[in-house]
Amino acid sequence: MNTQLRRVLGLVSGPGSNRLGLQAMRVAIAVIFLWIGALKFVPYEADSITPFVANSPVMAFFYAHPDQYAQHLTHEGELNLAARAWQAANHTYAFSRGLGTVELLIGLLVLVGLASRRLGLAGAVLAFLTPVVTLSFLVTTPEAWVGALGDAQHGFPYLSGAGRLVLKDVTLMAGAWLVLADSARAVLEREARTPGAPARLALAGSR
């Protein structure tokens, strides 16, 4: 291995590079939650998550008529006033705005983690738990798989566009775990540096 390559690999594998990667992961996760969270206030995005929510055993109750969603689906960019009126009556947009608010909060907490490890830790926990819920849609949402419309390839393991979108959250989960672990480490290190921390820890251990 030549000297230049060894030097480059040393820089990439060093602690500074690791820190840069973790900070970049924080920003990336924040961008995902902030951008997609903001889109939840737009009708087309709210419409697109309807199959996931309507088929979820823990979310369907947010909709007024989850069993009727398939009759009112629209394509992205399509304006169907009748379908949009049904979605409004179904509470689709109210739920989406609530979900968007939560996602914006998560994104902000993760981003604030650049300066505050405690708030960043809370954001990282939420960012890790969110994909756990999202990935469950692969089990509960029929639209996550290619439908039986005549082609030989349908059902499991043939992910539809919606399914492929959901599957990508495994990456988000892994990234959130790295940020969570880093935030937890930083919180513990700061606690250890706080005056009186050893005494408090010893007292806690004796209880």
Side-chain angles (χ1 to χ4, degrees), residues 22-142:
L22 282 168
Q23 300 294 50
M25 182 62 73
R26 279 190 174 86
V27 174
I29 292 173
V31 167
I32 290 171
F33 276 98
L34 291 172
W35 197 331
I36 296 180
L39 288 179
K40 290 294 190 298
F41 291 82
V42 183
Y44 91 91
E45 170 68 10
D47 293 348
S48 69
I49 66 172
T50 302
F52 300 118
V53 179
N55 286 289
S56 171
V58 297
M59 293 184 182
F61 73 92
F62 284 107
Y63 284 174
H65 309 288
D67 56 315
Q68 301 174 15
Y69 78 94
Q71 307 163 36
H72 305 279
L73 292 179
T74 56
H75 298 290
E76 292 182 350
E78 176 187 359
L79 177 60
N80 183 320
L81 295 179
R84 187 154 291 180
W86 182 89
Q87 294 282 19
N90 186 50
H91 306 158
T92 298
Y93 303 131
F95 171 79
S96 186
R97 289 191 293 270
L99 179 59
T101 301
V102 172
E103 291 178 343
L104 288 172
L105 176 61
I106 295 173
L108 287 173
L109 286 173
V110 172
L111 193 60
V112 170
L114 292 169
S116 171
R117 289 295 183 256
R118 288 184 180 276
L119 292 177
L121 177 60
V125 170
L126 293 172
F128 176 77
L129 293 177
T130 299
V132 174
V133 177
T134 305
L135 289 169
S136 71
F137 294 151
L138 291 176
V139 178
T140 60
T141 311

